[in-house]
Amino acid sequence: MRRPVQTLLLALTGTGLLHVALFTDLYLRYVKAGLRPPLIVSGVVLLLLALAAATRGGPRPAPHIGPGALSGHGHEQPCGDDSDHAHEHERLREADQPHGHDHTGTPRIAWLLFLPALSLLVHAPPALGAYTAARANTKPVAVHKGFAALPAASPVPLTLTGFTERVQQDRSRAVAGRAVRLTGFVTPAGEDGGWYLTRIIFSCCAADSQTVKVRMYGRQAPPADTWLAVTGTWHPRGTLGTRTAEAALDVRDARPVAQPVNAFTDDLPLTPS
């Protein structure tokens, strides 16, 4: 890979990072919101490296070894040594010739780096969804010793994690008979035709993602990855307020919604920008 191409790759990658981090919300598909500043800094650094590579001069030519250098710094040697010096000069001249390939070049596989660099500008990789959620680790539910009273509003907006914690740990059984509203995307439950409302949660980035799921009853499964705001009541299964209770909902209403900006947290949804 020639230096101009390497420079172009640096510039494309830096521009792509700045594009997704400064002018769109696409970076939230891959990392937490708190990592936006490091992404911006990385993009700037890559552009500066590209600029430095573009303005840097080419490699200096190798010094030419003349016949005088082979004959003792220009001093004449005895005639009997002429053939030895001629052979030595010929050997060095042949060593200076190119061999048909460059040992200092970048491996050809480096050309594949253009694909992710271009994708950041042209077509960003899709966000994680139902396929990943069906195979990802389930986020452990934190232990709570007490819960605040639920607001009087109906339905009560809750996160999937908050609903699960109340179902399995709230001894006051505050969610019994209460209409709640949960927001997430559809993940098929398997061959039985059931489905989960799901959120994927980033601890840092997509590589360490975990899921939280609530089983849905009473409604046929919508298409996978559909974002829904679901209203319903706890589906009685197990003893409410204990670990035997299933985090499940009897669906009364399910309405499609746009994917929220904070899709990869388990916070209440924020309206897309």
Side-chain angles (χ1 to χ4, degrees):
M1 185 181 291
R2 300 293 182 181
R3 177 173 294 170
V5 181
Q6 296 173 351
T7 302
L8 177 61
L9 179 58
L10 287 171
L12 282 176
T13 306
T15 304
L17 286 176
L18 292 179
H19 169 69
V20 299
L22 279 178
F23 306 111
T24 72
D25 296 321
L26 291 176
Y27 74 98
L28 293 174
R29 295 182 181 181
Y30 321 116
V31 297
K32 293 184 68 173
L35 292 179
R36 186 181 191 183
L39 283 179
I40 295 173
V41 171
S42 298
V44 171
V45 169
L46 288 174
L47 286 179
L48 291 176
L49 289 174
L51 179 62
T55 56
R56 187 171 136 197
R60 296 181 179 180
H64 177 69
I65 302 178
L70 301 175
S71 57
H73 305 288
H75 299 292
E76 293 185 1
Q77 299 294 322
C79 295
D81 295 334
D82 286 348
S83 63
D84 292 338
H85 289 302
H87 287 305
E88 181 66 13
H89 175 66
E90 181 66 19
R91 185 185 66 80
L92 292 175
R93 186 184 66 81
E94 291 177 354
D96 287 339
Q97 299 301 316
H99 297 285
H101 56 276
D102 184 5
H103 293 287
T104 62
T106 306
R108 291 183 180 179
I109 197 173
W111 286 94
L112 295 178
L113 294 174
F114 272 98
L115 297 179
L118 287 173
S119 70
L120 290 174
L121 291 170
V122 180
H123 180 69
L128 300 183
Y131 179 86
T132 301
R135 296 159 177 80
N137 296 325
T138 301
K139 184 178 185 295
V141 178
V143 176
H144 286 267
K145 294 183 178 180
F147 292 87
L150 287 175
S154 182
V156 180
L158 291 176
T159 65
L160 271 63
T161 299
F163 177 75
T164 302
E165 290 171 348
R166 285 188 176 272
V167 165
Q168 297 183 346
Q169 300 181 39
D170 187 1
R171 299 289 182 174
S172 69
R173 303 181 180 182
V175 296
R178 291 293 303 272
V180 300
R181 183 173 65 245
L182 309 177
T183 301
F185 63 87
V186 176
T187 300
E191 298 179 356
D192 61 355
W195 57 288
Y196 294 98
L197 198 66
T198 310
R199 294 293 287 263
I200 293 178
I201 304 170
F202 290 172
S203 299
C204 173
C205 60
D208 61 11
S209 62
Q210 295 178 312
T211 63
V212 57
K213 303 175 185 177
V214 174
R215 182 67 183 260
M216 300 287 117
Y217 291 94
R219 184 68 61 94
Q220 186 175 1
D225 293 318
T226 303
W227 277 86
L228 299 173
V230 179
T231 301
T233 55
W234 175 66
H235 176 79
R237 190 167 186 177
T239 303
L240 187 61
T242 70
R243 292 287 182 179
T244 65
E246 181 184 23
L249 205 69
D250 284 326
V251 179
R252 294 181 180 177
D253 181 63
R255 300 183 181 183
V257 295
Q259 176 176 311
V261 173
N262 58 340
F264 296 102
T265 67
D266 192 29
D267 301 323
L268 295 177
L270 297 177
T271 304
S273 60

